[in-house]
Amino acid sequence: MAMAPLQVFLFACAIALLASSSMVSAEVIEHSFQVQNLTINRLCRRQVINAVNGSLPGPTLHVREGDTLVVHVFNKLPYDLTIHWHGVFQLLSGWADGPEFATQCGIRPGSSYTYRFNITGQEGTLWWHAHVSWLRATVHGALIIRPKRQRSYPFPKPFREVPILLGEWWNANVVDVENEGLASGATPNNSNAYTINGQPGDLYPCSSNKTYKLKVKQGKTYLLRIINAALNNQLFFKIANHNMKVVSVDAAYTNPYITDVVVVAPGQTTDVLLTANQAPAAYYMAAKPYVSVVGVPFDNTTTTGVIVYEGSKPSTPKMPILPAFNDTTTAHKFFTNLTGLVTGPFWIPPPRQVDEHMFVTVGLGLIACGEAGNATCAGPNGQRFAASMNNASFQLPTKMSMLEAFFNNVPGIYTTDFPDQPSLKFDYTNPNNSFNPAIIMTTKSTKVKKLKFNATVEIVMQNTALIGVENHPIHLHGFNFHVLAQGFGNYNPTIDSKKFNLVNPQERNTIAVPVGGWAVVRFRANNPGVWLMHCHLEVHMPWGLATAFVVENGPTPSTKLPPPPPDLPKCSSP
């Protein structure tokens, strides 16, 4: 039946209003980052750090899903600089991903560059950080993605939202710390403290007057957006006398999970609901390291902040009982109890069919001292530390970014022969192999894995006991992956594949591969470009615990990587 003229008019108005509301819901959010030296007081001394807009942490960026984020970065440091938007998919905007020599070259001292990209299909907590050397120790901040205005959270709206950035502090220039370690071939110096929102807290000298404090109202619920911005340590996080309800990890909603302790690996984020349901008083929030490797020195200190109930009398804050630094049982329980929220707005079931099966060993090793030129070799057996995946120790190019080489089909920048399997099979988690000379040595290369557009990929990440048995946080750029299963020992496909959760697995961009164990992840390669997969322990990334995926273009213009921005920094001298 034909519509009357009035009905046609009203229908047209409704369509126009819908289109208009959709357009106004997406905005262009613009920021400027002034990245320069800053002198601040920490641990009884004045220290020059690298900071954004004069603060530590740097500015929190607030966007809504669908918005376009534009950030003008002015590099006033004496070092090259890039910014990585950790966990952002960068759909068809791989040029903005940020890792130096992977998707761009560094912004040179005295120069600037503008990052521009859309936030699509993601809600929750992500973060941004420098992706050159150890600069991210102090060049980092939160990136909070809220739902579009007409959409709500899949949990009751909290009274207030609070970013909690966990960091790591050195009484030194962190670039010097890294360079000294690389020059010696040994491990760099450990940090001197951990921080909560830039402050070490009451347990460190000269720190109690600046301890981070969060005032809460009795009965109200707060959304804590916890980010581990530390360089080299996973962290346990607790609040005295309070439980927390996990509702999201790595900007992917989870089924609510109630816990009294949160574990976050470097690079990971965890959103928790905290209800102020205790007697009015002061309570410490505290974080200390989870360290699984045996016999290696580490910064075994604890950072604190304080939760203060409004109207409470001044009192000494109550301290939570934190797990032992090597409490793998607690860490594993937390990581494996998380599941994905299938009713979430962006939930996609894990792929059932797999096109690419990969078995990737991860761990430490050594390179021959002679490969290091004139450098000293203070590692074990007079060699230099290296790290590898499938015995390939990754080395970033320097002449051109890998993404530029991919886009322009330039040979010689990388090779596409990263192996799907380790070249040598052995008892991966047997500590007796820790210094086995037949398997411990590796070599440097720039090997990547090439993937067809839209291919589904399954990766078994197998930890090894080479040098030491350790939990490794592995971060994948450009994608989320489903975590199908995790366990200890050597992965057994006959037995362990039966443990796969194909119903509601958690989604992440960073997985903490269990110490002496394995994790199985799947993702769909539907984003053309070059995407790093690397250890997010900063001590291991320069040693080569990385590779990259080169995802080919799709069949249509809307599935092909566009040309680079004309002002994208080049590797050649200006």
Side-chain angles (χ1 to χ4, degrees), residues 91-315:
L91 291 168
L92 299 179
S93 58
W95 301 105
D97 191 44
E100 188 184 34
F101 301 125
T103 61
Q104 69 169 96
C105 297
I107 306 167
R108 295 188 176 275
S111 299
S112 63
Y113 179 63
T114 296
Y115 292 91
R116 183 184 183 97
F117 52 92
N118 187 257
I119 308 282
T120 303
Q122 295 179 277
E123 293 174 4
T125 304
L126 296 175
W127 63 302
W128 56 265
H129 61 80
H131 213 293
V132 176
S133 65
W134 282 25
L135 293 178
R136 75 174 171 92
T138 52
V139 179
H140 62 253
L143 172 53
I144 294 173
I145 308 168
R146 292 194 175 93
K148 289 182 178 178
R149 296 187 187 281
Q150 64 268 32
R151 200 163 55 223
S152 60
Y153 294 125
F155 48 81
K157 184 179 179 181
F159 177 70
R160 186 181 165 199
E161 302 179 15
V162 184
I164 302 292
L165 282 91
L166 308 178
E168 205 166 358
W169 176 267
W170 277 260
N171 286 333
N173 181 315
V174 291
V175 175
D176 292 341
V177 173
E178 180 193 19
N179 288 339
E180 288 164 6
L182 292 174
S184 71
T187 55
N189 291 337
N190 291 317
S191 56
N192 299 99
Y194 301 102
T195 58
I196 293 178
N197 287 345
Q199 297 294 338
D202 290 356
L203 304 186
Y204 296 95
C206 306
S207 300
S208 58
N209 62 335
K210 292 291 184 68
T211 295
Y212 172 73
K213 291 181 173 61
L214 172 62
K215 288 187 176 181
V216 299
K217 289 186 176 183
Q218 179 81 32
K220 298 295 186 181
T221 297
Y222 297 78
L223 178 62
L224 305 185
R225 299 178 177 272
I226 305 168
I227 300 167
N228 187 351
L231 263 62
N232 294 319
N233 283 287
Q234 303 191 59
L235 295 166
F236 291 115
F237 178 85
K238 290 189 75 171
I239 301 171
N241 292 20
H242 290 74
N243 284 333
M244 295 169 280
K245 183 186 291 185
V246 179
V247 292
S248 177
V249 294
D250 292 0
Y253 291 117
T254 64
N255 286 306
Y257 172 58
I258 297 174
T259 178
D260 69 340
V261 61
V262 166
V263 193
V264 274
Q268 290 183 334
T269 70
T270 303
D271 289 356
V272 301
L273 295 175
L274 170 73
T275 299
N277 56 8
Q278 296 300 301
Y283 301 86
Y284 275 126
M285 62 175 80
K288 67 174 286 189
Y290 162 50
V291 177
S292 53
V293 66
V294 177
V296 174
F298 64 96
D299 177 3
N300 191 13
T301 61
T302 300
T303 179
T304 57
V306 182
I307 289 179
V308 181
Y309 278 67
E310 285 191 8
S312 62
K313 297 178 181 179
S315 62

Side-chain angles (χ1 to χ4, degrees), residues 233-234 236 289-296 298 324-328 331 463 468-473 488 513-516 537:
N233 283 287
Q234 303 191 59
F236 291 115
Y290 162 50
V291 177
S292 53
V293 66
V294 177
V296 174
F298 64 96
F325 72 86
N326 57 355
D327 190 347
T328 291
N463 230 323
V469 188
E470 188 174 3
N471 184 304
H472 290 286
F488 295 102
V513 182
V515 53
L537 298 178

